[in-house]
Amino acid sequence: MGIKVFLPLLFILFYSMGKAQSVIRIGLIADPQYADKDTRGSRFYRNSLDKLDSAVTAINREGVDFTVMLGDLVDVGPKDLQPALQRLNKLKSPVYNILGNHDYVDVDDGGHLYKLYKMPNPYYTVEKGEWLFILLNTNELADYATKAGSGQREAWKKINDILKTAKRNNDQPWNGGISEKQLKWMERQLHKAQSASKKVIVFTHHPLYPENGLEALNNREILTLIEKYPVVKVVISGHHHPGNFATYKGIPMITLEGMIETADRNAYGILELNDHQLDIHGEGRMTTRKIDF
């Protein structure tokens, strides 16, 4: 083989190796809702500890970069938190929690709940390679997460009144929204990501789309912001236990299946990302998906 042929082939080989190394692998868990209480309907609360054990073992075996837990780790607030956190603590790579509505049950100060879940802030970002991951707190404006008489409670009331007048179906006690402050923070993150040519995934507890009564209270405001930034490649949410999928203005909206449902079928997955594709390898009830960007 001549040197003129060999060098381009060598370049292609090293380029391909670099692309292979750029794959990011993320564990996905949504809505374990562990509680030390009896089964109700299709929700097997105590079984979630065994499911978490199985999921953690499998995720560790896959050697992920980190895991995202998309809220509702517990069903009735922090009194049952420690056994669930002990399972997550067995993960060999970092775990990034977001809060769900059930995590706030019997909590006096929702503004400080994130500390119990070892989160850096109620909403925050994680960077890995060419990707920025935005983890929102869609409980920020909610009846269950705010103090009576506070500015956030008043902001929640204002949104809820608008929804009632518009006869939207998402004005439910288990739904929440994000503040103007969080929305502006999100826009700053998206602007920086676009300037740095980073790709973005947004993680939320409450879905943003489709609208089926379980979406975040001000989902349309959030969507209006997201659609301005083509760097957003997908939104991944929990909350709606059967799971769901839709596209909004060409952006995939994935709702993950909840772990709490059924006696023995688990629900977790491994998300693989490269420059042009998202691949969720679902286990148990979690749907396997492959999406080209």
Side-chain angles (χ1 to χ4, degrees), residues 101-118:
N101 51 298
H102 283 272
D103 296 312
Y104 284 84
V105 175
D106 294 332
V107 172
D108 293 329
D109 187 358
H112 290 90
L113 180 62
Y114 71 95
K115 297 177 182 179
L116 293 179
Y117 287 75
K118 314 300 182 186

Side-chain angles (χ1 to χ4, degrees), residues 235-246:
V235 176
I236 301 178
S237 308
H239 192 52
H240 182 44
H241 297 177
N244 214 337
F245 178 83

